[in-house]
Amino acid sequence: MTVPNTSAAHTETGRQAPGSSRIPEEPRAAYGRPAVWLAVSVILLALNLRPALVAVSPLLDTIRSTTGMSATTAGLLTTLPLLCFGLLAPLAPQIGSRWGMEPTLAATMALVCAGTALRMLDAMAGLLAGTVLIGAGIAVANVLLPGVIKRDFPSRIGLMTSLYSMSMFGGAALAAGVTVPVEHAADLAWRPTLALWGLPAILALIVWMPQVLRHTRTRATGARGATPPVRGLWRHQVAWMVTLYMGLQSLAYYAATAWLPSVLTDAGTHEGVAGWMLSFSSLLGIVGAFLTPILANRHVHPGVLASSGAVLCVLGFVGLLVSPTAWIYLWMVLLGLGQGAAISLAMLFIVLRAPDARHAAQLSSMAQCFGYVLAALGPLTLGGVHQLTGGWTIPLLLLAVLVLPQIVFGLGAARERHASPEQRS
């Protein structure tokens, strides 16, 4: 079955279908050279949604040794951004509606740049405040970008979701893999090394500016229609299917990412090898994130893909439990492909289950609010269970069990229905 690239409220040319209640939005579907430039801009924005935060992890030991930071404070550097993602997600659609998606997305990159600069300050407050600014900027961009894809690429949803997910996953893998080598090669301290991740955000901001100018001209001509908020979404069954799928895959991904190196080192793996395994898994995640939406658009039911991704993750976690070192590359392949597929499907479900860009932004807000708050609890809970049990058997079993409901919610989110309060579920 082919996943539809348009909704009932869209024709391929972006015109409103007869009887649709969709609010007109600007701009319509992008074509030709402007579409290519817009696609590149979206990819660059997506590329900046993780590196400034992920780059902290490989430098964390150095940061703690030079600042005397406690383990609790160090944990805030990981937890604060996830809390920003969840708590600010409900505000993003209102901000985007009031100021326009293009200016708001430009502002998100400005916040990332400001946050990376603020972390250059010697005071600990600068490091934490900069992390919050970066998290706030990324939180809003997380929510609005799926709406841009829905609005401007109605006939290329699968491809653009693939590129978007791949860029987001790839940015995280890049930051995890090259931050320390760049630090050593350039002989930099950790503060300027972190600040370097503001440069891609500056590039994205520059490339995105033509969209801001186009938005300004469109508003000046009075062509922008009113975009009232979507009401009743939090009581809609389809919206909750998408949200719960997003939440469970986020919890599993962030909990596993936070503790995977520790699982491997406690099993006897060298620290360097354990770090490489995390990067290797992320590289496979890029493949899974890119291919999954394309397969969903080519006669592979997204419910089958959601189920397959969950099964791959379960096999990876069980494999780490049974034999963490003998077949380590196999487990990383399974986890990488499964997690990459789940992340891209979560983004794809947001776009496909929304009848228009306005609903896409609201559904993205709901899914990410719940998903990232849940994800923030994942690493903490897994660490607590490990501390209570003194090993990784129960934590890994817990992760495997928590992945299984993704199949149910993935199948529910894959049904061709819209998360629209005007439609019965």
Side-chain angles (χ1 to χ4, degrees):
M1 182 184 69
T2 303
V3 176
N5 283 333
T6 58
S7 70
H10 287 82
T11 64
E12 189 158 4
T13 60
R15 292 190 300 272
Q16 188 172 349
S20 170
S21 60
R22 187 178 69 87
I23 300 298
E25 297 163 348
E26 61 81 18
R28 301 293 188 178
Y31 298 101
R33 186 174 299 175
V36 174
W37 185 269
L38 177 58
V40 171
S41 302
V42 169
I43 290 169
L44 285 176
L45 290 174
L47 196 64
N48 281 279
L49 295 185
R50 295 297 180 268
L53 300 176
V54 173
V56 172
S57 295
L59 296 173
L60 197 55
D61 287 342
T62 302
I63 294 172
R64 290 190 62 190
S65 64
T66 57
T67 63
M69 179 188 300
S70 67
T72 302
T73 304
L76 286 176
L77 295 178
T78 300
T79 303
L80 281 174
L82 293 177
L83 289 175
C84 286
F85 291 177
L87 298 178
L88 295 180
L91 303 178
Q94 285 74 25
I95 296 171
S97 177
R98 178 167 183 174
W99 300 106
M101 283 204 270
E102 290 81 3
T104 302
L105 285 168
T108 65
M109 290 299 102
L111 283 176
V112 172
C113 295
T116 55
L118 193 58
R119 293 196 299 194
M120 288 284 290
L121 299 178
D122 287 338
M124 183 66 64
L127 178 60
L128 294 176
T131 299
V132 170
L133 278 184
I134 294 168
I138 294 173
V140 176
N142 277 339
V143 172
L144 296 185
L145 277 173
V148 172
I149 293 173
K150 180 71 177 184
R151 183 192 64 187
D152 293 328
F153 299 95
S155 61
R156 293 289 184 270
I157 285 175
L159 176 61
M160 285 305 302
T161 303
S162 292
L163 293 172
Y164 168 76
S165 303
M166 181 188 70
S167 299
M168 186 167 60
F169 220 111
L174 185 68
V178 308
T179 296
V180 172
V182 167
E183 178 193 29
H184 293 162
D187 195 23
L188 295 173
W190 64 266
R191 293 184 189 275
T193 301
L194 285 180
L196 288 176
W197 289 106
L199 297 179
I202 294 175
L203 175 61
L205 180 59
I206 292 171
V207 175
W208 184 251
M209 284 309 296
Q211 310 304 325
V212 179
L213 297 175
R214 181 166 68 115
H215 168 86
T216 303
R217 288 195 300 270
T218 305
R219 287 200 64 172
T221 62
R224 185 173 184 264
T227 54
V230 177
R231 302 188 185 280
L233 201 61
W234 285 79
R235 298 188 299 273
H236 200 279
Q237 181 185 358
V238 177
W240 273 108
M241 288 292 176
V242 175
T243 296
L244 290 169
Y245 183 82
M246 176 73 171
L248 286 176
Q249 70 83 22
S250 296
L251 184 151
Y253 172 74
Y254 284 102
T257 299
W259 292 109
L260 181 61
S262 297
V263 172
L264 296 177
T265 53
D266 287 354
T269 304
H270 186 273
E271 286 185 358
V273 176
W276 158 243
M277 287 298 107
L278 182 59
S279 296
F280 177 70
S281 176
S282 297
L283 291 174
L284 269 297
I286 296 173
V287 177
F290 179 74
L291 291 179
T292 300
I294 293 177
L295 291 174
N297 198 41
R298 295 185 177 181
H299 307 285
V300 180
H301 194 281
V304 174
L305 294 171
S307 302
S308 300
V311 169
L312 289 177
C313 289
V314 170
L315 291 176
F317 289 136
V318 172
L320 286 172
L321 175 62
V322 175
S323 179
T325 57
W327 297 88
I328 186 170
Y329 274 96
L330 175 59
W331 312 142
M332 294 304 101
V333 168
L334 295 176
L335 282 177
L337 292 176
Q339 290 174 340
I343 288 174
S344 62
L345 278 172
M347 297 296 108
L348 184 65
F349 287 147
I350 289 171
V351 178
L352 290 179
R353 298 290 75 85
D356 52 50
R358 182 169 61 99
H359 283 76
Q362 294 284 346
L363 182 56
S364 179
S365 166
M366 176 180 172
Q368 297 194 49
C369 172
F370 180 87
Y372 286 120
V373 169
L374 189 63
L377 299 176
L380 182 64
T381 301
L382 206 68
V385 173
H386 168 65
Q387 187 170 347
L388 286 173
T389 61
W392 290 108
T393 299
I394 301 301
L396 287 172
L397 282 175
L398 182 62
L399 276 178
V401 170
L402 287 174
V403 168
L404 290 174
Q406 283 182 214
I407 298 175
V408 177
F409 299 125
L411 290 172
R415 294 180 61 189
E416 292 187 21
R417 302 170 297 170
H418 282 147
S420 172
E422 292 81 14
Q423 300 179 16
R424 292 186 179 275
S425 57

